[in-house]
Amino acid sequence: MREITRHALFWPVAALIALLVANTVYRPDFLAVTVLDGHLFGAPIDILRNAAPLMLVALGMTLVIATRGIDLSVGAVVAISGALSLSFIATSPDPGSVSTVLLAIAIALGVSLVLGVWNGFLVSVVGIQPIIATLILMTAGRGIAMLITEGQITTVTSAPFKTLGSGFWLGLPVATLVAGGVFLLVALLTRRTALGMLVESVGINPAASRLAGVKARTIVWTVFALSGLFSGLAGLILASNVMAADANNAGLFIELDAILAVVIGGTSLQGGKFSLSGTLVGVLIITTLTLTVTIVGISPLVTPLFKALVVIAVTLLQSPRIRETFAARARQRAARPEEVAA
Amino acid sequence: MAAVAPEQSTTGSPGPSRPRPQESRLRAIARRLRIDRRYMPVVGTFVVLALILVIGGARYENFLSAGVLANLFINNSFLIVLAVGMTFVILTGGIDLSVGAVLALSAVSAAYLLDAGVPAAVVLPAVVLIGSVIGLLIGLMVHVFDVQPFIATLAGMFFARGLCFVIAPESIPITDETFVAIAGWDTWVGGQWRMTSSVVVSLVVVALAFFLLHYTQFGRTVYAIGGGEQSARLMGLPVARTKVLVYVVSGTCAGLGGLLFAMYSRSGYSLTGVAMELDAIAAVVIGGTLLTGGTGFVLGSVLGVLVLGLIQTIITFEGTLSSWWTKIVIGALLLVFVVLQRVLTLRRT
Amino acid sequence: MTSSETAERPVVEMTGISIEFPGVKALDQVDLRLFPGEVHALMGENGAGKSTLIKALTGVYGIDAGEILVDGRSHRFSGPGESQDAGIATVYQEVNLCENLTVAENIMLGNEPRRLGAIDWRATRREAARHLATMGLDIDPASSLGAHSIALQQLVAISRAMVVEAKVLILDEPTSSLDAGEVAQLFAVMRRLRDEGVAILFVSHFIEQVYEISDRMTVLRNGRLVGEYATATTDRVELVSTMIGRSMEVLEDLHVSTDRTVEIERGSTPYLQAVGLGRKGSVQPFDLDVYSGEVVGLAGLLGSGRTEVARLLAGADRADSGTTRIKDAPAPLRNPRAAISRGIAFSSEDRKAEGVVGDLTVRENIVLGLQAGRGWMRRLPGRQVDEIVDKYVAALNIRPADPDALLRNLSGGNQQKVLLARWLATAPELLILDEPTRGIDVGAKAEIQKLVAELAGEGMAVVFISAELEEVLRLSHRIAVMRDRAKVAEIVNGEDVGVDEVVGLIASGGDH
């Protein structure tokens, strides 16, 4: 089993390395990291910093997908969280004070958590399919974000808040540290407690899990809540990056990137077994790809095309059909694998 | 011997008759009104549509005029076509996220080719075919390589959107005379009702889709796959071919939708149709098609598009309401319909 | 034993069929002949290769060696469609029709009459009605298939098979979820088709049914052909021994080890007391006491309410009337968790859907119940997990004895043992087993029966459900008889109680 896991991560890691090599060939100093003002600078650091919001969203998404769910609303939550925090700071008497910023963060995270809980409620209590339940918030969410910003793109100046997205600590970007910290936390949460096993159990066989006494409802509810919370955090980082609340474009398509990262990382959309490290690799691939496109000098607008090629390549390489062809070319069988299920 | 004796003798007692579940009141009413349970969600859509019309008619003057309603079709003709294609896919239990981007690709290609001097007679079929080809590729990914529809169409979406920008980062106006003439053609039905060429095309597509779904083997197989893919396969139906074909249908519809959009906007722009797949999905769901597949009607999807369009119209009529309320209302409506569907399916079991 | 020969040419002749799956030889040189106008039973234990053989004939699997002749012509099917075109129709155990479509649509799907290239719905409904009528079925063709019982759906599936005028009809365990009345109806239809010259291949676990309906039978064991026999001249005991291919001593042993007449030392109060417990549309209110150290058997036909009783006691379904008391204290069993925390463990009859978590390992599956009870925050320490897992893998003889194997790769019997281990690990005081021995091989079956007897001997309360009355009688101290979703009788088991008496109770509804 462990062999298969290793095998499943082989192609994504290979793709990441290939990307990095290609970049280094194109620009030999690509992997170079320099120290400036006590901060680390360089393309790898950029990748790590740019990856932070996506990593946060993808972490929640991994857990949601493992329970057979999907969360389409993360982009909308990102927008709402950014809009809320910046609007709050903008309207507060003292935008630069730490307490204002902390309060803004608390409000944004609180609301994000509530939105996640709302999704979880629709899925686990009302029993609506996740894709549809979260489509509701995905549709309405941007409207709500615009309601908060009143359709304006609010620009804010607040040094403490800016630190979250652009600051450095111990030489590393704060955003990276936050995302890394959350990654470790989730890894500990899932593998040091029984959460991981119970999440997988619910994802593999919900009915059996219920009879075994697993609180499936609570588990599903928890992962959606976490997804909301992490998306809120991602929204804060993105908002702090640009220091402007753009309800229309903040976190646009981040749900798709996150789902992509999860799938590239080898977690199946059918639920069940999940791989956090796979998701990490997926996120790095997507972020590196985006950076590569810019470095090479292609319009960033064309990035989707390259994402499409990566998705197609990785999913095809992971597809059972291709693997079978590789594994047993000689076998001639009329039966197709999906029909052998019995 | 006793150890492996089978269950009770089959010729023994007559079997216990299982108590029939109490017929729900809702179903009883439906039966009295001779409404098949399968039509219930569509009836719901119809009721909502009627409600919006009544409320709009009561609140605003001229709301119920032929002009407003005719415009509803004119402004949403491309969405109707998208929703029709999406219905096929969702009926099989799949989903197509690529349609918005394919629509843009088709519109941009049309503008680009016309700008390059290619005659309209070539461009029109060519851009529709672009949609078909992308649909075919997606279908093959889903079927041959077992990639989940969500991911395959996501890849299709990224692919088409990226290609748009490769072709034309900027908006290209369309000035080709033939094309403009076709786009500008219209007719007045009953002297009051204006129908543009786009509306005619979209209605033809609806009729064609209805025929395909209900009067051909392909259509029946679509429903059968939605009811149970394994069953459909064991019934000897051409499951593989059909699964690929629904994406071709959806892609073709998206290509055609792009053409209609180009006619509507007289231009091709790479950022058109962003998130339009969500509108299409919302229209299909509000139109009463279950996302699990197997249940739904193409005419329901048309009603769904009209509901979305009417909400937009109302918000425009209201004047003081900002545009973002459209999204919030659509979201709320989605919620209502989804919960309603949930209640209906719960009653069934 | 004689194998019957008819002068007629067989409609299907399969010779030397072999199919190999990675690592397993599923079929090895198997022959099968079907003659027109016969009901031919295909017999064998689980894993004998029955379904594989059927799937070879229906084109779901390709064959690695051998030949399939239909009407004397050689075929190599590469899909269900091709097999159907050759006149072979199949009705599977889990009815493979579309519940979202109407009865008429299901019957005619793919064969609808056309007019001008379009489906002629009027003619379609008329045709469907005609096919239903010829089978003597009174079903509204325009009704939704999902609204009908499994039994009727099965008959609809057979009607569908007859639309293409199939020469061969394969029925794969059609009776496993039917009650006696429904089985009689099915058999009537089968006889009618047989008399019309259709060759019917009938697969069933129920030996009595095979003797009632079949003319000849083919027995498989471990992927090999054992023989072809005429039903009328084959003794049941002989048949069973050819099927299992080993002596039945294991089970005979057990017979001795369980002294079912033993008087339970009943304390003043039972472990579990259900009073007026019921659920609308599921089971009528019933009373039931279960004492520690005794096995209470639930006897009744499928659909009699025996499973529903178990589900209520386990909190799997929620009761809407009545009360439950545990050790004389009120104990509402609202959900499985509540029941588990009260020391109740429940193994569902539907092992695959409600028990096995296939992609988790044997280890994870065993500790799942225990861990779920502790909540996700308090993870079981690794050493304790290993101890528990090692203990049950050894005690229940789970094969392969690899805790890291994925559960889905184990055989049915071993999966069942893992599930038992999951429940035993929670140290329950009441163990509810709904058909724990269904669909598993005889060896595993005997081991599980033995285990149940031992557990009760050690003081555990057990509620035991089985479709096999023999098994219930052998293990139980007391038997609650179910019929028509109500408890109709309760008897103390003893030497004087036999299958006939329980069958009588089920038939009479406990009136005598």
Side-chain angles (χ1 to χ4, degrees):
Chain A
M1 190 207 84
R2 243 169 233 142
E3 260 175 38
I4 298 169
T5 319
R6 201 170 293 159
H7 191 66
L9 265 185
F10 175 76
W11 287 110
V13 170
L16 181 59
I17 292 173
L19 263 178
L20 293 176
V21 167
N23 271 306
T24 318
V25 169
Y26 186 83
R27 225 183 65 181
D29 64 341
F30 180 77
L31 287 176
V33 175
T34 54
V35 181
L36 204 71
D37 293 342
H39 306 330
L40 296 175
F41 278 98
I45 301 298
D46 284 349
I47 292 173
L48 286 178
R49 190 179 56 201
N50 295 350
L54 183 58
M55 187 67 226
L56 287 168
V57 173
L59 274 176
M61 191 69 80
T62 308
L63 295 181
V64 169
I65 287 178
T67 62
R68 287 192 178 184
I70 198 145
D71 189 351
L72 294 183
S73 73
V74 288
V77 176
V78 162
I80 291 175
S81 160
L84 259 181
S85 56
L86 286 178
S87 299
F88 179 82
I89 293 174
T91 52
S92 75
D94 186 8
S97 88
V98 175
S99 58
T100 306
V101 169
L102 285 180
L103 194 56
I105 290 176
I107 290 172
L109 289 184
V111 170
S112 304
L113 185 65
V114 168
L115 292 175
V117 168
W118 159 258
N119 282 332
F121 169 78
L122 287 183
V123 173
S124 67
V125 180
V126 186
I128 298 173
Q129 292 157 275
I131 188 170
I132 267 297
T134 55
L135 179 68
I136 293 168
L137 186 56
M138 182 190 193
T139 311
R142 291 212 177 264
I144 295 171
M146 288 210 249
L147 202 63
I148 294 167
T149 59
E150 290 167 343
Q152 310 293 312
I153 297 182
T154 322
T155 314
V156 179
T157 328
S158 166
F161 190 67
K162 201 169 169 18
T163 314
L164 188 61
S166 327
F168 282 84
W169 194 59
L170 297 177
L172 284 169
V174 174
T176 307
L177 292 172
V178 169
V182 173
F183 179 86
L184 284 181
L185 204 71
V186 174
L188 284 178
L189 200 65
T190 50
R191 297 306 178 198
R192 290 272 112 201
T193 73
L195 186 64
M197 182 182 104
L198 296 183
V199 160
E200 288 179 341
S201 164
V202 168
I204 297 164
N205 190 340
S209 304
R210 174 178 173 265
L211 283 186
V214 179
K215 286 189 191 167
R217 187 175 282 187
T218 317
I219 300 266
V220 171
W221 210 334
T222 307
V223 296
F224 272 100
L226 284 179
S227 177
L229 183 67
F230 295 163
S231 304
L233 195 52
L236 288 174
I237 292 177
L238 281 170
S240 136
N241 257 334
V242 288
M243 291 307 280
D246 183 351
N248 257 329
N249 296 312
L252 195 63
F253 298 133
I254 202 169
E255 62 278 346
L256 301 181
D257 280 348
I259 293 166
L260 221 58
V262 174
V263 172
I264 291 175
T267 301
S268 162
L269 278 179
Q270 320 277 17
K273 291 276 180 190
F274 65 88
S275 160
L276 291 178
S277 39
T279 299
L280 176 64
V281 175
V283 167
L284 290 178
I285 288 180
I286 291 174
T287 320
T288 311
L289 188 70
T290 314
L291 191 69
T292 309
V293 171
T294 329
I295 288 176
V296 178
I298 305 171
S299 159
L301 293 172
V302 188
T303 317
L305 189 63
F306 296 100
K307 280 185 194 162
L309 296 180
V310 173
V311 184
I312 292 170
V314 172
T315 48
L316 289 195
L317 285 172
Q318 286 176 352
S319 100
R321 173 65 64 93
I322 299 261
R323 286 194 181 182
E324 211 169 73
T325 320
F326 274 130
R329 205 177 277 261
R331 285 168 56 84
Q332 288 193 332
R333 227 166 217 300
R336 299 197 187 91
E338 68 264 32
E339 286 164 349
V340 181
Chain B
M1 180 64 234
V4 276
E7 202 181 13
Q8 309 77 24
S9 155
T10 55
T11 44
S13 63
S17 60
R18 293 176 196 177
R20 273 179 191 284
Q22 287 282 312
E23 199 171 52
S24 78
R25 179 168 294 189
L26 204 68
R27 212 187 288 169
I29 293 171
R31 179 164 294 186
R32 206 170 307 142
L33 294 174
R34 295 191 158 276
I35 301 172
D36 193 299
R37 208 175 46 197
R38 289 177 296 168
Y39 300 118
M40 289 290 280
V42 186
V43 171
T45 316
F46 206 81
V47 170
V48 169
L49 193 67
L51 267 176
I52 298 178
L53 285 174
V54 168
I55 292 171
R59 266 182 85 89
Y60 321 108
E61 265 177 74
N62 299 329
F63 186 81
L64 287 179
S65 66
V68 170
L69 298 183
N71 271 332
L72 195 61
F73 279 90
I74 293 171
N75 295 336
N76 291 294
S77 56
F78 49 87
L79 190 55
I80 288 180
V81 174
L82 283 193
V84 165
M86 187 69 78
T87 310
F88 278 80
V89 178
I90 292 184
L91 277 176
T92 63
I95 198 148
D96 190 348
L97 297 179
S98 71
V99 294
V102 172
L103 175 139
L105 179 62
S106 156
V108 167
S109 308
Y112 180 80
L113 290 174
L114 289 169
D115 196 46
V118 181
V122 177
V123 172
L124 295 188
V127 297
V128 176
L129 211 62
I130 290 178
S132 316
V133 170
I134 294 189
L136 178 67
L137 293 178
I138 291 175
L140 289 177
M141 261 176 93
V142 170
H143 173 68
V144 180
F145 297 106
D146 237 359
V147 179
Q148 284 140 329
F150 194 92
I151 290 299
T153 58
L154 185 61
M157 167 190 178
F158 280 148
F159 181 76
R161 188 66 73 186
L163 222 50
C164 280
F165 289 108
V166 172
I167 295 172
E170 306 294 326
S171 176
I172 308 174
I174 296 178
T175 50
D176 182 90
E177 278 172 24
T178 325
F179 189 88
V180 171
I182 294 174
W185 179 88
D186 62 2
T187 181
W188 293 81
V189 180
Q192 296 253 305
W193 191 282
R194 179 164 168 258
M195 284 212 340
T196 61
S197 48
S198 302
V199 176
V200 174
V201 169
S202 68
L203 293 183
V204 169
V205 167
V206 171
L208 211 63
F210 184 83
F211 178 80
L212 269 179
L213 278 178
H214 296 284
Y215 288 94
T216 65
Q217 159 113 59
F218 167 65
R220 301 325 294 163
T221 308
V222 167
Y223 277 95
I225 292 175
E229 191 176 327
Q230 184 72 4
S231 298
R233 186 173 290 128
L234 291 172
M235 281 172 156
L237 297 172
V239 171
R241 194 176 66 206
T242 307
K243 269 180 79 182
V244 175
L245 269 180
V246 290
Y247 290 97
V248 175
V249 167
S250 180
T252 308
C253 282
L256 190 60
L259 197 61
L260 297 189
F261 196 87
M263 287 182 175
Y264 178 74
S265 64
R266 304 280 160 90
S267 67
Y269 181 38
S270 294
L271 276 176
T272 46
V274 170
M276 201 182 276
E277 59 277 354
L278 295 185
D279 289 338
I281 295 171
V284 172
V285 171
I286 290 177
T289 301
L290 295 185
L291 273 163
T292 38
T295 315
F297 303 95
V298 72
L299 291 178
S301 303
V302 175
L303 291 183
V305 172
L306 295 183
V307 167
L308 296 190
L310 273 176
I311 291 172
Q312 196 119 36
T313 312
I314 284 214
I315 281 165
T316 320
F317 262 77
E318 190 66 29
T320 54
L321 279 179
S322 314
S323 62
W324 50 81
W325 279 103
T326 316
K327 289 183 175 178
I328 299 180
V329 173
I330 292 176
L333 205 61
L334 256 182
L335 175 67
V336 170
F337 265 82
V338 166
V339 172
L340 195 79
Q341 286 189 1
R342 177 77 191 139
V343 172
L344 278 177
T345 41
L346 271 186
R347 288 198 180 231
R348 184 182 302 179
T349 47
Chain C
M1 284 191 200
T2 61
S3 76
S4 88
E5 284 296 336
T6 344
E8 268 181 291
R9 190 180 66 174
V11 57
V12 168
E13 198 165 7
M14 301 173 84
T15 41
I17 305 294
S18 295
I19 291 186
E20 223 173 307
F21 295 127
V24 197
K25 196 142 199 185
L27 284 182
D28 188 8
Q29 300 280 326
V30 172
D31 305 338
L32 175 72
R33 297 183 307 160
L34 299 177
F35 290 90
E38 72 163 346
V39 174
H40 191 112
L42 183 59
M43 311 284 294
E45 287 286 293
N46 277 290
K50 293 177 310 233
S51 358
T52 314
L53 187 61
I54 288 176
K55 285 185 170 148
L57 184 53
T58 54
V60 176
Y61 294 161
I63 54 175
D64 293 328
E67 190 177 31
I68 302 176
L69 294 178
V70 181
D71 267 343
R73 217 175 314 141
S74 177
H75 284 272
R76 271 200 103 87
F77 302 128
S78 62
E82 289 180 25
S83 159
Q84 277 175 28
D85 291 344
I88 299 169
T90 316
V91 177
Y92 291 93
Q93 185 177 3
E94 61 286 359
V95 185
N96 281 288
L97 294 178
C98 297
E99 293 202 356
N100 59 326
L101 301 178
T102 65
V103 169
E105 284 173 313
N106 269 295
I107 293 176
M108 303 302 296
L109 202 56
N111 305 293
E112 298 94 342
R114 311 285 181 104
R115 212 174 52 182
L116 302 173
I119 293 172
D120 183 347
W121 282 110
R122 245 224 193 113
T124 301
R125 273 188 289 272
R126 206 170 46 225
E127 276 286 284
R130 191 174 63 77
H131 284 287
L132 288 170
T134 53
M135 301 222 334
L137 299 175
D138 179 29
I139 307 175
D140 177 8
S143 58
S144 171
L145 183 78
H148 297 292
S149 69
I150 297 285
L152 277 177
Q153 292 189 17
Q154 216 143 36
L155 294 170
V156 170
I158 296 177
S159 309
R160 174 182 166 76
M162 295 313 23
V163 170
V164 289
E165 285 168 4
K167 291 172 288 198
V168 179
L169 177 63
I170 302 171
L171 300 174
D172 187 2
E173 297 209 35
T175 56
S176 57
S177 46
L178 306 195
D179 65 39
E182 292 166 338
V183 169
Q185 196 179 6
L186 174 71
F187 282 5
V189 169
M190 283 170 67
R191 290 195 182 99
R192 193 188 291 229
L193 292 173
R194 179 190 63 194
D195 295 344
E196 286 170 13
V198 177
I200 299 177
L201 183 63
F202 176 66
V203 182
S204 173
H205 277 309
F206 301 119
I207 293 175
E208 285 308 320
Q209 293 180 357
V210 168
Y211 272 92
E212 187 184 340
I213 191 80
S214 76
D215 304 306
R216 292 188 314 130
M217 43 201 181
T218 291
V219 180
L220 301 182
R221 190 171 71 228
N222 293 331
R224 288 166 195 265
L225 177 70
V226 176
E228 189 189 80
Y229 311 98
T231 311
T233 55
T234 308
D235 181 62
R236 279 161 216 225
V237 177
E238 237 181 301
L239 170 67
V240 170
S241 46
T242 59
M243 277 167 65
I244 59 179
R246 56 176 135 165
S247 74
M248 286 155 52
E249 280 164 21
V250 213
L251 293 173
E252 294 305 330
D253 273 353
L254 187 81
H255 211 67
V256 184
S257 73
T258 332
D259 186 0
R260 59 186 182 184
T261 57
V262 74
E263 190 58 39
I264 296 298
E265 199 186 313
R266 298 200 172 154
S268 49
T269 53
Y271 175 73
L272 176 76
Q273 240 178 322
V275 181
L277 201 64
R279 180 180 158 92
K280 271 204 191 82
S282 165
V283 61
Q284 288 171 31
F286 62 91
D287 298 342
L288 187 70
D289 295 346
V290 187
Y291 289 84
S292 295
E294 80 167 339
V295 179
V296 175
L298 292 182
L301 302 174
L302 195 96
S304 63
R306 55 179 201 220
T307 291
E308 288 75 4
V309 166
R311 294 185 72 89
L312 287 185
L313 294 180
D317 291 337
R318 200 164 169 173
D320 53 17
S321 70
T323 54
T324 39
R325 298 172 73 81
I326 288 175
K327 292 180 179 163
D328 213 21
L333 304 169
R334 273 189 222 95
N335 52 47
R337 278 184 66 78
I340 291 164
S341 67
R342 297 293 190 143
I344 299 175
F346 168 58
S347 168
S348 160
E349 58 167 345
D350 195 342
R351 185 168 64 229
K352 201 169 152 200
E354 296 194 323
V356 169
V357 184
D359 278 336
L360 290 187
T361 60
V362 168
R363 180 200 314 276
E364 288 169 316
N365 267 285
I366 289 179
V367 297
L368 184 62
L370 200 54
Q371 183 63 62
R374 290 167 65 102
W376 61 265
M377 285 200 258
R378 294 190 303 134
R379 184 168 180 256
L380 276 169
R383 188 183 295 164
Q384 200 181 332
V385 169
D386 289 341
E387 270 171 26
I388 292 170
V389 171
D390 290 348
K391 176 176 150 199
Y392 285 108
V393 166
L396 298 180
N397 190 24
I398 291 168
R399 298 278 152 218
D402 173 15
D404 289 319
L406 294 185
L407 187 57
R408 69 180 147 91
N409 293 337
L410 270 60
S411 71
N414 281 300
Q415 288 183 349
Q416 187 67 56
K417 289 188 210 163
V418 169
L419 297 183
L420 277 174
R422 175 191 294 169
W423 292 117
L424 295 178
T426 64
E429 294 188 76
L430 168 61
L431 182 61
I432 303 172
L433 300 172
D434 192 357
E435 298 230 40
T437 59
R438 182 165 71 176
I440 66 179
D441 66 81
V442 172
K445 198 168 183 166
E447 285 173 341
I448 287 173
Q449 292 179 356
K450 207 165 197 164
L451 181 75
V452 168
E454 282 167 13
L455 289 169
E458 289 163 14
M460 195 180 288
V462 180
V463 172
F464 187 85
I465 302 175
S466 173
E468 292 180 29
L469 274 184
E470 288 285 347
E471 199 179 31
V472 175
L473 278 165
R474 200 178 313 129
L475 287 169
S476 311
H477 300 103
R478 262 186 314 135
I479 298 172
V481 181
M482 304 294 301
R483 179 197 152 110
D484 290 354
R485 299 186 179 264
K487 182 181 160 190
V488 290
E490 186 174 314
I491 51 174
V492 174
N493 200 1
E495 286 300 339
D496 53 328
V497 179
V499 173
D500 292 345
E501 188 177 354
V502 178
V503 169
L505 281 169
I506 292 171
S508 67
D511 289 337
H512 71 227

